Every structure is written in structure tokens, then in C-alpha cells.
Amino acid sequence: AQKITQTQPGMFVQEKEAVTLDCTYDTSDPSYGLFWYKQPSSGEMIFLIYQGSYDQQNATEGRYSLNFQKARKSANLVISASQLGDSAMYFCAMRESRGSTLGRLYFGRGTQLTVWP
Amino acid sequence: GAGVSQSPSNKVTEKGKDVELRCDPISGHTALYWYRQSLGQGLEFLIYFQGNSAPDKSGLPSDRFSAERTGGSVSTLTIQRTQQEDSAVYLCASSLAISGTSGGSSDIQYFGAGTRLSVL
């Protein structure tokens, strides 16, 4: 089974509008971390936001917030006031905390976001 | 300070040749990771290091792939007898630590710009 599912291959949003990128995850580990990364056309993976499984509040970083719904195993990224520079591929990732695989990130397939003027 | 540095940024090689890819992590980061990104397979974990030891090598696709880390810093990923299916972007990341719980900001992996490998 896929650890991370991103169901939106592509999303379009107008500049200054908000957009939500979906992510669901699958784990039986009670302790895990969820991450979002941005990958512009230049190729570098840029860390955006982190949410721990025990965090009581949704994470926020500037215009980015993570809508964490633990019971639904959902970790959607919300970008407020989109900018043209937000156009990029966005990846959701998870790290589990047990066993020999605790170091690795599991990535989704990504969502290509296009912001138009 | 400086971010994760990878070299070379691009590498073109002939099938059957060996290649070495280098990663210099963020100073003070004890954990280092290698991933591969290709169109067909997405982002795949290869190996990670805690200090100089590699607790998880299970992502290496074959015994042609190996990696080492010396002095708790620089790491080299070596691909022997390259094949065309090895063509991909190889990404390196580092983090302050690896915790046994969802340890917060220390777990965040910061990536380099990658090495684009093309095997002809």
C-alpha cells in the first residue's frame, strides 16, 4: 500500500487566491512526522512545513499552513494569497519513527501547482 | 551557514562506466540521506547514514550501488557499471539528527540541488 497519496496531479489557482493541496497517508506507527516540500523547475527540494503526529495544533509557516486531520490521516497543505512564484511541484512526505526504516522519507507523487495572473 | 552541496551538478557517462557522486551536508548535521528521482519511479529512498554508519541500505537498487561516509561529514555514492536505467537525479539531504520519535525540527531533511546523471 502507498504510504503517501496525492490525488491531484495538477492544480491551477489565480494569483492572490488560496489553494489546498491534498495529501493522505498510511501508517500504523503512532509517532510520525509529516512534511511538505516545494520543487521549482530548477530542481531543488525546498522544505516548507512540518507537522508531528503528537502536535495539537496545525503547523503554520507564513503563507503555508498544514490542515492536519489525524483521524482521517490527512495532511493537506494550504497556501494563502498565492503568488506567481508559488508555481512548482509540491510533495507531501512522511517519516515513521520505529524500526530500521525510521530515517527515510516516503514521498507522494506530487502535485504540479500553476499560479496564473 | 551553507546548505547541502552536491557535485557534480550534471554527469554524463557511458554505459558500463563507474561514477561517483558527492554530497557535503550542512555543518553539524549528523544524519545524511540519499534519494533518487526519476520520471517513472518518483522519489525513492536509497540509503541513510547516522554518523558514519548506514542503518538502512535497503533502498539501494542493486549491488552496483554503494555509499560511504567518512568523518561524519562528506558522503560518496558510487554506481558501478552504470546502466541506462540508472539515469535520474540523485538527491542528497541532511538533518540535525534522527530521533526515535517524531522529534520536531531536528528531523527536517534539507536537500541539495541534486546531481543529474545521464547514462548513454
Side-chain angles (χ1 to χ4, degrees):
Chain A
Q2 294 241 10
K3 293 277 190 182
I4 296 288
T5 302
Q6 294 180 255
T7 57
Q8 306 154 316
M11 287 285 284
F12 294 84
V13 65
Q14 190 170 23
E15 196 177 11
K16 299 179 186 176
E17 297 294 312
V19 63
T20 298
L21 306 184
D22 294 342
C23 173
T24 57
Y25 59 91
D26 182 29
T27 183
S28 58
D29 190 345
S31 178
Y32 52 89
L34 297 160
F35 306 79
W36 278 92
Y37 287 86
K38 171 184 178 182
Q39 189 176 43
S41 56
S42 60
E44 188 161 1
M45 294 284 283
I46 302 166
F47 166 75
L48 294 178
I49 196 167
Y50 164 85
Q51 178 90 39
S53 59
Y54 293 124
D55 293 343
Q56 295 296 310
Q57 293 190 318
N58 287 343
T60 60
E61 291 283 351
R63 295 186 298 111
Y64 305 107
S65 60
L66 199 153
N67 184 359
F68 180 45
Q69 297 186 45
K70 196 169 182 176
R72 297 180 59 189
K73 295 189 173 178
S74 166
N76 297 341
L77 177 70
V78 180
I79 306 175
S80 63
S82 298
Q83 301 172 355
L84 295 178
D86 294 335
S87 293
M89 183 71 87
Y90 288 79
F91 290 96
C92 179
M94 176 179 67
R95 189 183 81 82
E96 297 170 320
S97 297
R98 294 185 304 192
S100 62
T101 63
L102 69 88
R104 67 173 68 184
L105 284 176
Y106 296 93
F107 284 90
R109 285 289 194 168
T111 295
Q112 180 68 47
L113 176 67
T114 302
V115 182
W116 51 284
Chain B
V4 177
S5 178
Q6 291 188 247
S7 61
S9 54
N10 282 283
K11 177 72 177 178
V12 180
T13 190
E14 294 179 352
K15 178 181 170 182
K17 300 283 190 183
D18 297 352
V19 295
E20 284 190 352
L21 312 180
R22 176 189 167 104
C23 174
D24 200 345
I26 293 171
S27 177
H29 281 195
T30 64
L32 184 148
Y33 314 78
W34 285 98
Y35 295 85
R36 179 168 74 171
Q37 185 175 26
S38 58
L39 279 174
Q41 300 299 320
L43 275 151
E44 303 173 275
F45 168 83
L46 297 178
I47 186 171
Y48 85 86
F49 291 89
Q50 175 72 311
N52 291 334
S53 65
D56 186 1
K57 306 179 185 179
S58 62
L60 295 176
S62 76
D63 59 8
R64 296 186 296 104
F65 288 73
S66 63
E68 65 175 12
R69 189 179 185 196
T70 55
S73 182
V74 172
S75 175
T76 302
L77 177 68
T78 301
I79 310 173
Q80 296 178 309
R81 304 181 303 281
T82 52
Q83 304 293 313
Q84 288 182 332
E85 61 262 29
D86 300 335
S87 296
V89 176
Y90 290 81
L91 292 165
C92 177
S94 69
S95 68
L96 196 59
I98 296 176
S99 60
T101 61
S102 55
S105 59
S106 64
D107 287 356
I108 296 168
Q109 297 183 22
Y110 295 93
F111 283 79
T115 294
R116 181 175 296 278
L117 176 66
S118 300
V119 182
L120 305 179

